[in-house]
């Protein structure tokens, strides 16, 4: 007998007709001899309606009371679903998050799951009942109702699948799988047959709305196979698991995050501990930051730019205003009219020229890039919001993401989606398995040191469309392999670009840099005594405190950070080569308890 978790989103339970259709899907699985747990969201636009009611009374409602209010939407759905199942002749029981025993921290509106008790669910399943669980919610240690954030029903479903050691977690939604990008924006987008955990995690965090990024953290950590399917058809959907769809493709998908806000802190003292003090403020406020770009120092001062989601912009303004005073920076600027376009793929690590291709695509359609941030499997470009859709379509077209798999490619990627019975224990540390506590705590895969790097910074380049493409064309002509790329916001219509290359490329990159400086009448700095420190894991960006802990650890051992790269699976920083070993040693000690 298999155990299946089924999650139904708001559009899948928007009215009683759709609730009945979802109930029949659950009964079909039960008739096949399986135990079934259903996780449901609030009906249709109910959550939006509840928020609008609160906003009629207060512009900034109390977050505890907002969680109390919004949790009622799922409570309505679970009761109606139980009624529907029983009317169709099957025993069922509904549970709120509190009744199941989903314990969270006390971060209202963005709570993280600490533990799940499975006793009550297993008793009901053993009695032959279909269990209906309210998604999106839990309780803290003081029994206050908490919510997990928008899209949190995905996280509830995968977390329950992990806790119950389910055979599969089916996510039913209004689309029939994961697409190469949003098909509502790019009609030629293609449904992926499968996608790896790491790729899906990055896409989800970068704006692909089909899955909640924290749910993919759970799936990867606990080895849970996730099947994204349509509520309205029996199409095959998309499997999210350990394997990629195409081993030879550099990019598997593109994402657009329209609701981004850029913050630039100007005139930051360039000394150890400053980054830690700045980002500790955002960690304390539970505001995730992304696309961090730090200029190289000039006259002992530097500028730091980063992005936050627009929902956090109002709180972020208060936080950064306080931070500027504390770190003795000159001032800050905020731009709320920006968007982030990204491409993702594990194949980037094996193919050169991926960034160059993306920059060319945006250049050819006249889109100016304001910031660039890369990791080993993603490239993100910050653009004006008015250019966002054009940029997404250009990136999707450049990597031919609409091209269907050939039969040969399909046969290579085909295989069983079942995971070995012991893979659950292989995917996560023993204390998580034994106690199912700290379920959403960060898990670090390791700390790495690469002391074979050269940093190149180009200052005062003309900030215009095509800049990045032209610069990296010259780099590509020298057949130079590029690692980190950061384009930071400049001043007076000028931009700065920093990138790293292997030390063996020093002579070649020095020649290329001279050509670039002659072409643009800019100046440069080449530092061959740098090292890159990386902390790898899952969900590192969404765990707002991890980057702060990394910066604080380096600050405590007097290691200064010059460049920062941030993604869901890696936080990387450049430091002086002489400080690389001591930095790694202290980071390994700091994250020893989270490393497996």
């Amino acid at each position: 007998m298999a155990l299946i978790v089924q999650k139904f989103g708001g559009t899948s339970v928007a009215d009683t007709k759709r609730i009945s259709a979802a109930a029949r899907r659950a009964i079909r699985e039960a008739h096949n001899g399986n135990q079934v747990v259903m996780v449901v969201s609030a009906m249709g636009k109910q959550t939006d309606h509840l928020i609008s009611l609160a906003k009629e009374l207060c512009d900034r409602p109390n977050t505890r009371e907002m969680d109390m209010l919004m949790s009622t939407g799922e409570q309505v759905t679970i009761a109606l679903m139980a009624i529907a199942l029983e009317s169709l002749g099957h025993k069922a029981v509904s549970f709120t998050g509190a009744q199941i025993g989903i314990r969270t921290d006390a971060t209202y509106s963005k709570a993280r799951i600490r533990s799940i008790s499975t006793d009550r669910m297993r008793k009901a399943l053993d009695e032959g009942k279909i269990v209906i669980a309210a998604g999106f919610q839990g309780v803290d240690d003081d029994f206050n109702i908490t919510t997990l954030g928008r899209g949190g029903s995905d996280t509830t479903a995968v977390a329950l699948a992990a806790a119950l050691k389910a055979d599969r977690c089916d996510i039913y939604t209004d689309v029939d799988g994961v697409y190469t990008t949003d098909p509502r924006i790019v009609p030629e987008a293609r449904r992926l047959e499968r996608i790896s955990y790491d790729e899906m995690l990055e896409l989800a965090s970068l704006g692909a709305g089909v899955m909640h990024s924290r749910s993919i953290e759970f799936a990867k950590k606990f080895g849970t196979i996730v099947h994204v399917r349509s509520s309205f058809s029996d199409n095959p959907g998309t499997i999210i698991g350990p394997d990629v769809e195409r081993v030879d493709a550099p990019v598997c998908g593109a994402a657009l995050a329209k609701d981004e806000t850029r913050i630039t802190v100007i005139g930051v003292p360039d000394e150890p501990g400053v980054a830690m003090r700045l980002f500790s403020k955002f960690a304390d406020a539970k505001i995730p930051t992304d696309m961090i770009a730090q200029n190289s120092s000039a006259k002992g001062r530097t500028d730091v730019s980063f992005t936050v989601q627009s929902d956090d912009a109002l709180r972020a303004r208060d936080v950064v205003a306080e931070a500027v005073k504390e770190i003795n920076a000159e001032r800050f600027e905020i731009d709320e009219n920006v968007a982030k376009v990204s491409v993702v793929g594990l194949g980037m690590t094996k193919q050169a020229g991926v960034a160059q291709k993306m920059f060319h695509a945006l250049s050819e359609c006249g889109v100016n890039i304001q910031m660039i941030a890369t990791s080993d499997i993603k490239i993100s470009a910050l653009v004006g919001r008015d250019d966002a859709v054009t940029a997404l379509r250009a990136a999707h077209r450049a990597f031919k993401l609409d091209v269907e798999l050939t039969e040969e490619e399909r046969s290579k990627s085909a295989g069983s989606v079942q995971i070995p019975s012991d893979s659950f224990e292989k995917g996560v540390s023993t204390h998580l398995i034994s106690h199912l506590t700290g379920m959403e705590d960060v898990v670090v895969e390791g700390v790495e040191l690469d002391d074979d790097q050269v940093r190149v910074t180009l200052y005062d380049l003309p900030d215009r469309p095509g800049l990045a493409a032209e610069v990296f064309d010259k780099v590509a002509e020298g057949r130079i392999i590029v690692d980190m790329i950061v384009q930071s916001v400049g001043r007076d219509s000028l931009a700065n670009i920093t990138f790293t290359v292997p030390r063996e490329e020093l002579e070649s990159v020095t020649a290329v840099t001279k050509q670039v400086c002659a072409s643009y009448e800019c100046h440069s700095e080449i530092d061959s005594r740098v090292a890159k420190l990386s902390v790898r894991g899952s969900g590192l960006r969404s765990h707002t405190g991890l980057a702060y802990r990394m910066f604080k650890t380096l600050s405590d051992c007097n290691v200064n950070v010059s460049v920062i790269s941030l993604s869901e699976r890696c936080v990387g920083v450049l430091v002086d080569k002489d400080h690389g070993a001591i930095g790694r040693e202290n980071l390994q000690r700091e994250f020893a308890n989270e490393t497996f």
Side-chain angles (χ1 to χ4, degrees):
M1 178 184 294
L3 196 162
I4 309 298
V5 175
Q6 297 179 323
K7 179 262 178 177
F8 293 89
T11 55
S12 303
V13 292
D15 52 39
T16 54
K17 182 178 178 181
R18 290 185 178 180
I19 288 173
S20 294
R24 285 191 290 272
R25 283 191 180 272
I27 290 172
R28 188 191 311 171
E29 286 287 0
H31 285 171
N32 288 334
N34 299 320
Q35 293 181 320
V36 181
V37 174
M38 302 179 74
V39 176
V40 296
S41 301
M43 298 170 64
K45 300 293 183 180
Q46 181 66 12
T47 300
D48 292 335
H49 173 63
L50 294 172
I51 292 173
S52 67
L53 288 177
K55 291 294 180 69
E56 288 178 15
L57 299 171
C58 177
D59 288 337
R60 300 177 73 173
N62 178 281
T63 53
R64 179 192 183 278
E65 302 310 325
M66 283 300 294
D67 277 12
M68 179 72 78
L69 174 66
M70 290 196 291
S71 68
T72 63
E74 282 72 22
Q75 189 168 336
V76 170
T77 313
I78 60 173
L80 291 175
M81 186 64 73
I83 292 168
L85 285 162
E86 290 182 350
S87 72
L88 293 170
H90 203 287
K91 293 188 294 182
V93 60
S94 63
F95 295 128
T96 65
Q99 289 173 324
I100 291 173
I102 298 178
R103 288 297 183 98
T104 74
D105 62 20
T107 307
Y108 297 117
S109 80
K110 293 181 180 179
R112 285 188 176 273
I113 296 173
R114 285 182 171 171
S115 64
I116 296 176
S117 173
T118 61
D119 294 345
R120 198 167 186 180
M121 288 185 290
R122 288 203 178 278
K123 182 176 183 294
L125 291 169
D126 290 343
E127 292 171 352
K129 295 176 182 176
I130 291 176
V131 171
I132 309 111
F136 176 64
Q137 61 182 250
V139 290
D140 66 14
D141 290 341
D142 294 323
F143 295 97
N144 297 301
I145 292 176
T146 57
T147 63
L148 309 182
R150 297 302 293 264
S153 291
D154 289 345
T155 299
T156 301
V158 182
L160 291 182
L164 292 163
K165 303 184 184 180
D167 295 85
R168 193 178 72 240
C169 181
D170 292 342
I171 304 292
Y172 286 98
T173 182
D174 55 353
V175 295
D176 61 349
V178 179
Y179 277 70
T180 50
T181 196
D182 189 339
R184 294 168 298 183
I185 300 175
V186 184
E188 61 269 27
R190 178 179 65 84
R191 180 183 61 80
L192 294 162
E193 296 182 10
R194 64 181 62 240
I195 185 171
S196 71
Y197 293 128
D198 283 331
E199 291 170 328
M200 189 69 247
L201 181 59
E202 290 290 357
L203 283 173
S205 70
L206 292 168
V210 70
M211 288 293 296
H212 196 223
S213 63
R214 283 163 53 192
S215 70
I216 307 303
E217 292 178 39
F218 267 109
K220 180 183 177 184
K221 185 187 295 185
F222 291 96
T224 302
I225 294 296
V226 178
H227 194 180
V228 182
R229 309 184 66 178
S230 171
S231 298
F232 313 120
S233 74
D234 289 323
N235 289 344
T238 302
I239 298 294
I240 303 173
D243 300 322
V244 298
E245 183 185 65
R246 300 166 81 154
V247 295
D248 59 339
V251 169
C252 73
L256 169 62
K258 281 187 177 181
D259 297 325
E260 295 286 300
T261 294
R262 174 181 59 79
I263 299 174
T264 300
V265 183
I266 297 170
V268 177
D270 185 23
E271 57 191 42
V274 172
M276 176 273 293
R277 290 157 60 196
L278 172 61
F279 290 105
S280 69
K281 297 292 186 183
F282 289 87
D284 291 343
K286 304 295 185 184
I287 299 175
T289 55
D290 192 17
M291 287 195 77
I292 300 173
Q294 178 173 315
N295 288 347
S296 294
S297 176
K299 297 181 180 179
R301 294 270 173 171
T302 185
D303 299 341
V304 180
S305 296
F306 53 93
T307 59
V308 299
Q309 294 181 354
S310 293
D311 287 347
D312 292 322
L314 194 60
R315 289 193 302 136
R317 183 182 291 272
D318 295 339
V319 171
V320 74
E322 181 182 344
V324 163
K325 294 178 182 177
E326 183 173 312
I327 65 177
N328 194 30
E330 294 174 10
R331 66 183 192 278
F332 70 91
E333 297 175 351
I334 291 184
D335 184 355
E336 298 188 48
N337 191 33
V338 295
K340 179 174 59 182
V341 177
S342 308
V343 293
V344 170
L346 283 170
M348 287 185 194
T349 60
K350 300 176 182 177
Q351 296 191 30
V354 179
Q356 179 192 7
K357 182 178 288 189
M358 180 175 178
F359 301 153
H360 260 289
L362 302 192
S363 171
E364 288 168 2
C365 58
V367 173
N368 189 37
I369 299 174
Q370 299 182 20
M371 288 174 63
I372 297 168
T374 67
S375 74
D376 54 350
I377 70 165
K378 78 158 186 180
I379 302 164
S380 293
L382 197 71
V383 302
R385 195 165 293 174
D386 292 342
D387 291 330
V389 171
T390 299
L392 178 68
R393 290 172 175 165
H396 191 272
R397 186 167 53 249
F399 291 101
K400 300 179 180 179
L401 293 176
D402 58 319
V403 176
E404 296 287 345
L405 289 176
T406 65
E407 286 304 318
E408 181 180 357
E409 289 169 333
R410 186 171 285 107
S411 64
K412 283 182 181 179
S413 67
S416 172
V417 301
Q418 297 299 317
I419 54 176
S421 60
D422 63 346
S423 65
F424 184 87
E425 295 193 6
K426 291 179 181 176
V428 70
S429 56
T430 302
H431 73 278
L432 288 173
I433 296 299
S434 300
H435 308 293
L436 286 175
T437 59
M439 290 186 71
E440 218 172 340
D441 289 350
V442 65
V443 174
V444 173
E445 295 171 6
V447 176
E448 299 174 0
L449 169 64
D450 179 358
D451 59 2
D452 191 31
Q453 294 267 319
V454 172
R455 175 182 60 80
V456 179
T457 301
L458 302 170
Y459 295 98
D460 299 335
L461 292 157
D463 187 10
R464 57 174 172 75
L467 169 65
E470 293 168 13
V471 169
F472 287 99
D473 270 350
K474 295 184 182 299
V475 174
E477 288 172 6
R479 298 182 178 180
I480 299 169
I481 298 173
V482 177
D483 185 7
M484 297 172 68
I485 302 174
V486 174
Q487 177 177 322
S488 52
V489 177
R491 307 188 194 185
D492 303 321
S493 298
L494 299 173
N496 303 323
I497 295 178
T498 295
F499 59 97
T500 63
V501 300
R503 185 168 287 105
E504 64 188 28
E505 304 281 8
L506 176 60
E507 184 177 343
S508 298
V509 81
T510 300
V512 167
T513 301
K514 288 180 179 178
Q515 294 176 19
V516 171
C517 289
S519 298
Y520 295 104
E521 297 182 352
C522 64
H523 61 285
S524 66
E525 180 181 77
I526 297 177
D527 187 352
S528 62
R529 295 195 55 78
V530 297
K532 183 169 77 170
L533 288 166
S534 303
V535 175
R536 294 189 177 275
S538 295
L540 303 188
R541 187 186 70 85
S542 62
H543 284 83
T544 54
L546 185 133
Y548 158 69
R549 287 172 60 193
M550 187 175 184
F551 300 149
K552 183 179 186 306
T553 299
L554 296 176
S555 171
D556 288 346
C557 59
N558 207 36
V559 175
N560 195 30
V561 171
S562 62
V563 178
I564 301 166
S565 172
L566 183 65
S567 74
E568 287 291 346
R569 72 178 214 152
C570 181
V571 180
V573 297
L574 284 189
V575 301
D576 186 272
K577 183 179 180 181
D578 291 340
H579 296 156
I582 189 67
R584 177 177 59 181
E585 180 182 333
N586 280 271
L587 289 173
Q588 287 172 334
R589 187 180 302 116
E590 170 67 20
F591 295 110
N593 292 334
E594 290 99 336
T595 302
F596 73 95

